[in-house]
C-alpha cells in the first residue's frame, strides 16, 4: 500500500491527497469553520506517525465533524448520533491490531454520547478521541450544547446561556483517560503533535480542539472567524500539566491549553485478554 501511496502522491502533487476520498470533495464545511483545519492536522499526524494505514480506522458520529469519516481514505465508520465510541470499542475489542481514531463534535461526544465517553475512558479502551468543540450544535441549527459557554447566545438561548459548560479535560481525567490535551485550530502544530503522540500511545487518549463556528455560533455572538482566532491568540495560555480544575471555559478569562495528562495503565484489551482470551496472552 505504501508504494501505491507514494505513486499517487506524486501524481496529485499534494502530500495528503492520498488520505482523502477525493470523489467526496468538495466538503460540506462552511467558510471560516475550523473543522477542516482540525481534520487536516489529523491526517498529517496519521501520516507522520508511520502507522500502517491498512490498520487505521476513523469513526465519527453525527454532526459537522462527523463527516470526516466520509472524507478519509482509510477504513471508516460514520455511525449513529452519539455512538461513535461504542462502535470504536467494538472494533478495538474484536481486532486489537487496529489503530482507531474517533473524530467527532462536542454535541455528539459529550451530550448524546456522554456516558459512552466516560465509560470508555474508565475502561482505558485503546482509542484516540478527537473532539472538535465549536460550543454548539452547528449542523442542526445552532442550539445550545453541553459545552456552550455561560451567557453565550444560541438559537435556544437567545438571551444568553444560563448554564455552565462541561470542563472536558477534567471530565476525561476524572474518568480515567491516560492522555489528555487541549488546543485550538490556531495551534495546528501543537495539535498535530498531540494527535501523533496519542495515536502511538496505548490507552484512552483525548484531545479537545477549540474551533470557530462562524455561521451558527459566531453570527449570534457577533464573532467573525478572524475574531475567534484573534481571541484564541490573545486569551490562550499554554500550561502543560495544569490542574484540571483550571481548565473550565470562561471566555471572560484566559483559555488554558496544553498537555495535561500522560500516564500509563493497563488497557482494556490487556485486561480483557487476560481474563476472557487467555489463549491470546503470551507468557
Amino acid at each position: 500500500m505504501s508504494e501505491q501511496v507514494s505513486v499517487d502522491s506524486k501524481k496529485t502533487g499534494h502530500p495528503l491527497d492520498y488520505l482523502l476520498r477525493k470523489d467526496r470533495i468538495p466538503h460540506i464545511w462552511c467558510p471560516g469553520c475550523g473543522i477542516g483545519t482540525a481534520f487536516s492536522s489529523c491526517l498529517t499526524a496519521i501520516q507522520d506517525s508511520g502507522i500502517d494505514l491498512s490498520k487505521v480506522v476513523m469513526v465519527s458520529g453525527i454532526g459537522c465533524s462527523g463527516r470526516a469519516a466520509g472524507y478519509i481514505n482509510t477504513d471508516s465508520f460514520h455511525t449513529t448520533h452519539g455512538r461513535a465510541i461504542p462502535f470504536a470499542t467494538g472494533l478495538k475489542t474484536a481486532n486489537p491490531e487496529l489503530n482507531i481514531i474517533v473524530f467527532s463534535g462536542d454535541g455528539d461526544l459529550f451530550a448524546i454520547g456522554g456516558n459512552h465517553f466516560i465509560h470508555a475512558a474508565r475502561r482505558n479502551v485503546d482509542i484516540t478521541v478527537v473532539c472538535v468543540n465549536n460550543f454548539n450544535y452547528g449542523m442542526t441549527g445552532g442550539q445550545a450544547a453541553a459545552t456552550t459557554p455561560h451567557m453565550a447566545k444560541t438559537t435556544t438561548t437567545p438571551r444568553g446561556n444560563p448554564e455552565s459548560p462541561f470542563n472536558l479535560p477534567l471530565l476525561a481525567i476524572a474518568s480515567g483517560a491516560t492522555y489528555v490535551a487541549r488546543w485550538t485550530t490556531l495551534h495546528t502544530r501543537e495539535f498535530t503533535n498531540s494527535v501523533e503522540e496519542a495515536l502511538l500511545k496505548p490507552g484512552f487518549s483525548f484531545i479537545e480542539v477549540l474551533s470557530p463556528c462562524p455561521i451558527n455560533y459566531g453570527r449570534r455572538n457577533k464573532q467573525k472567524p478572524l475574531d475567534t482566532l484573534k481571541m484564541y491568540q490573545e486569551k490562550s495560555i499554554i500550561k502543560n500539566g495544569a490542574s484540571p480544575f483550571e481548565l473550565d471555559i470562561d471566555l471572560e478569562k484566559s483559555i488554558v491549553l496544553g498537555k495535561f495528562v500522560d500516564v500509563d495503565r493497563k488497557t482494556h484489551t490487556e485486561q480483557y485478554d487476560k481474563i476472557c482470551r487467555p489463549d491470546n496472552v503470551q507468557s
Side-chain angles (χ1 to χ4, degrees):
M1 184 170 185
S2 58
E3 186 176 345
Q4 183 64 38
V5 161
S6 176
V7 171
D8 288 348
S9 298
K10 289 178 181 177
K11 286 181 179 178
T12 57
H14 191 283
L16 293 177
D17 274 356
Y18 71 97
L19 282 171
L20 289 173
R21 298 181 188 178
K22 289 186 287 184
D23 58 321
R24 305 289 179 90
I25 303 298
H27 57 71
I28 67 161
W29 297 317
C30 304
C33 171
I35 298 173
T37 301
F39 181 60
S40 176
S41 293
C42 283
L43 298 184
T44 301
I46 291 170
Q47 176 180 255
D48 293 350
S49 70
I51 54 181
D52 183 353
L53 294 179
S54 68
K55 296 180 181 177
V56 172
V57 181
M58 179 170 281
V59 184
S60 293
I62 299 300
C64 300
S65 301
R67 298 301 289 264
Y71 299 142
I72 190 171
N73 189 24
T74 65
D75 287 335
S76 62
F77 291 82
H78 188 194
T79 71
T80 49
H81 212 340
R83 312 302 176 221
I85 287 179
F87 272 82
T89 300
L91 288 166
K92 187 66 183 181
T93 304
N95 187 351
E97 292 187 359
L98 296 178
N99 201 317
I100 300 170
I101 179 168
V102 173
F103 187 96
S104 216
D106 48 303
D108 185 73
L109 288 170
F110 287 97
I112 296 166
N115 265 340
H116 297 306
F117 179 89
I118 62 174
H119 289 292
R122 172 181 64 82
R123 294 174 177 130
N124 200 24
V125 179
D126 186 9
I127 59 177
T128 299
V129 178
V130 174
C131 175
V132 181
N133 184 1
N134 61 9
F135 299 155
N136 76 131
Y137 285 95
M139 178 173 275
T140 54
Q143 297 90 345
T147 51
T148 302
H150 181 62
M151 293 310 296
K153 294 182 178 178
T154 68
T155 53
T156 52
T157 58
R159 295 183 179 181
N161 181 22
E163 302 175 355
S164 297
F166 265 139
N167 176 337
L168 301 186
L170 172 60
L171 183 63
I173 294 167
S175 301
T178 54
Y179 183 100
V180 179
R182 173 197 280 156
W183 300 105
T184 78
T185 52
L186 184 68
H187 299 78
T188 52
R189 289 183 180 176
E190 293 89 346
F191 172 60
T192 303
N193 290 338
S194 270
V195 175
E196 183 179 349
E197 277 190 333
L199 287 169
L200 297 173
K201 180 178 177 61
F204 189 91
S205 298
F206 171 66
I207 305 166
E208 176 185 16
V209 56
L210 305 182
S211 166
C213 174
I215 301 301
N216 276 315
Y217 182 86
R219 185 174 53 179
R220 292 182 176 82
N221 290 280
K222 302 186 185 307
Q223 196 176 79
K224 296 179 179 178
L226 284 178
D227 297 332
T228 306
L229 295 178
K230 188 176 180 182
M231 178 188 73
Y232 293 161
Q233 182 182 39
E234 293 176 346
K235 293 199 171 187
S236 61
I237 298 174
I238 297 176
K239 193 174 180 182
N240 294 317
S243 165
F245 297 103
E246 299 178 49
L247 307 179
D248 57 308
I249 297 286
D250 180 348
L251 300 182
E252 298 300 316
K253 302 189 299 185
S254 59
I255 302 171
V256 180
L257 310 177
K259 180 170 72 173
F260 311 122
V261 164
D262 187 355
V263 298
D264 297 314
R265 67 183 178 96
K266 288 190 176 180
T267 66
H268 176 259
T269 300
E270 290 173 314
Q271 299 281 36
Y272 187 86
D273 282 351
K274 182 179 178 181
I275 304 300
C276 304
R277 294 188 290 211
D279 292 342
N280 290 348
V281 178
Q282 296 181 353
S283 57

